[in-house]
Amino acid sequence: MNKRNFSTLSYFSHISDIFFFLCGIIMLSSEIWKQFALTFTLGGGSYNWWYFPFQLCSIPMYILLAYPWLRHKNARLTILAFLMCYCLLGGIAVFADTSGLHYPLPALTIHSYLWHILLIIIGFTAGFTYICTLRSDKEKTLFSRTLFSAFPLRPFLYSTLLYLSCCLIAELLNLSLDKFGTINMFYINPDYRMQQVIFRNLLPFLGNTGVILLYIASTVLGAFLFFLLWKLVWRLSLRSRSGRGRRF
């Protein structure tokens, strides 16, 4: 699929467009309810900046709402790469320490679990959509074994730039809003000791700043490992496809 054809597709022309947008709407609606519950039911009308929705697990809510409107192929592949790597990582990793999912209000606890389960579902859906997009693209080009088997790294690199940009924004929010209350977006506020499981044990050796940098680097590495797993799925799908072609 060339860029011109891709850009002229009508909005919501694929089932994945509808799915991602509906997930974005559901997440946004539930997040608004969550903020009201935290502020008025638990907070007595006082807003707690700790719960401001700008964590790694919150970013998919924003980009899912934008995804169907993006017409450029590279932009879509970047978003898909972010969802199938960073979103999937965030959805799975939280279950290593579920203490942050629990609230005094049971409905909020249920919401947290369902939110991260949805992130996992979105991550897997994005991965298969990414593969289908590549397959559709390659099938509409002149046959080339190299082109057909390629699993481009560039979308992941762009998605990593997106993640790092979000880290920068999170840090600016941390430093700017710190005076209004406790805030620790992306868990990288240098004014608070790292609390993430495993990384907090490294504080005596690396210091808080060192652990924060290691945490960010580890997130990128974890996302890259997911990217490699998706590349393996891509190759297995090609092998299975070529095997069927030889039989028939």
Side-chain angles (χ1 to χ4, degrees):
M1 182 181 296
N2 57 43
K3 293 181 180 180
R4 183 175 179 180
N5 288 338
F6 197 94
S7 64
T8 56
L9 289 174
S10 60
Y11 296 115
F12 300 97
S13 57
H14 301 287
I15 295 178
S16 58
D17 292 356
I18 300 173
F19 173 77
F20 289 137
F21 188 70
L22 286 178
C23 286
I25 292 294
I26 292 172
M27 295 174 82
L28 176 62
S29 301
S30 66
E31 182 61 38
I32 292 174
W33 167 81
K34 174 184 175 181
Q35 294 298 319
F36 270 91
L38 288 169
T39 302
F40 298 103
T41 303
L42 296 182
S46 178
Y47 187 72
N48 189 339
W49 286 99
W50 181 270
Y51 299 113
F52 185 77
F54 200 83
Q55 300 284 7
L56 176 58
C57 295
S58 305
I59 301 303
M61 174 180 66
Y62 303 111
I63 63 178
L64 285 172
L65 294 172
Y67 177 81
W69 315 105
L70 299 175
R71 311 313 319 145
H72 198 281
K73 182 183 70 174
N74 289 335
R76 284 199 159 202
L77 289 178
T78 296
I79 294 302
L80 290 174
F82 183 89
L83 293 173
M84 73 190 206
C85 297
Y86 288 95
C87 172
L88 186 57
L89 175 66
I92 293 176
V94 73
F95 289 100
D97 180 9
T98 59
S99 59
L101 300 180
H102 295 267
Y103 294 85
L105 189 65
L108 286 173
T109 299
I110 294 173
H111 172 271
S112 293
Y113 275 92
L114 291 178
W115 182 283
H116 289 86
I117 290 172
L118 181 59
L119 288 181
I120 296 173
I121 295 173
I122 291 170
F124 278 112
T125 304
F128 289 115
T129 302
Y130 186 93
I131 289 175
C132 290
T133 300
L134 291 182
R135 180 178 296 166
S136 175
D137 192 10
K138 303 310 179 186
E139 288 177 348
K140 293 183 179 181
T141 63
L142 292 175
F143 179 79
S144 165
R145 184 175 182 84
T146 301
L147 282 175
F148 192 72
S149 62
F151 196 79
L153 179 64
R154 183 175 298 179
F156 175 77
L157 296 178
Y158 286 159
S159 71
T160 299
L161 289 177
L162 175 59
Y163 167 70
L164 294 177
S165 298
C166 290
C167 287
L168 177 60
I169 294 173
E171 199 65 290
L172 291 175
L173 289 173
N174 288 334
L175 299 177
S176 301
L177 302 177
D178 220 1
K179 57 187 176 182
F180 297 110
T182 304
I183 182 171
N184 194 8
M185 301 297 94
F186 276 55
Y187 303 103
I188 57 173
N189 190 335
D191 292 336
Y192 301 100
R193 291 170 59 85
M194 173 62 70
Q195 295 298 317
Q196 294 295 80
V197 63
I198 297 178
F199 293 94
R200 61 194 177 201
N201 297 328
L202 300 176
L203 285 171
F205 309 100
L206 300 177
N208 201 42
T209 301
V211 170
I212 288 175
L213 294 175
L214 178 62
Y215 173 71
I216 294 174
S218 298
T219 303
V220 174
L221 176 60
F224 182 65
L225 291 178
F226 274 110
F227 182 79
L228 294 180
L229 287 175
W230 283 115
K231 185 174 183 178
L232 177 61
V233 173
W234 163 257
R235 289 184 173 179
L236 291 175
S237 70
L238 291 182
R239 185 176 302 174
S240 174
R241 191 181 183 87
S242 62
R244 290 195 301 269
R246 285 194 297 269
R247 288 196 296 271
F248 295 98

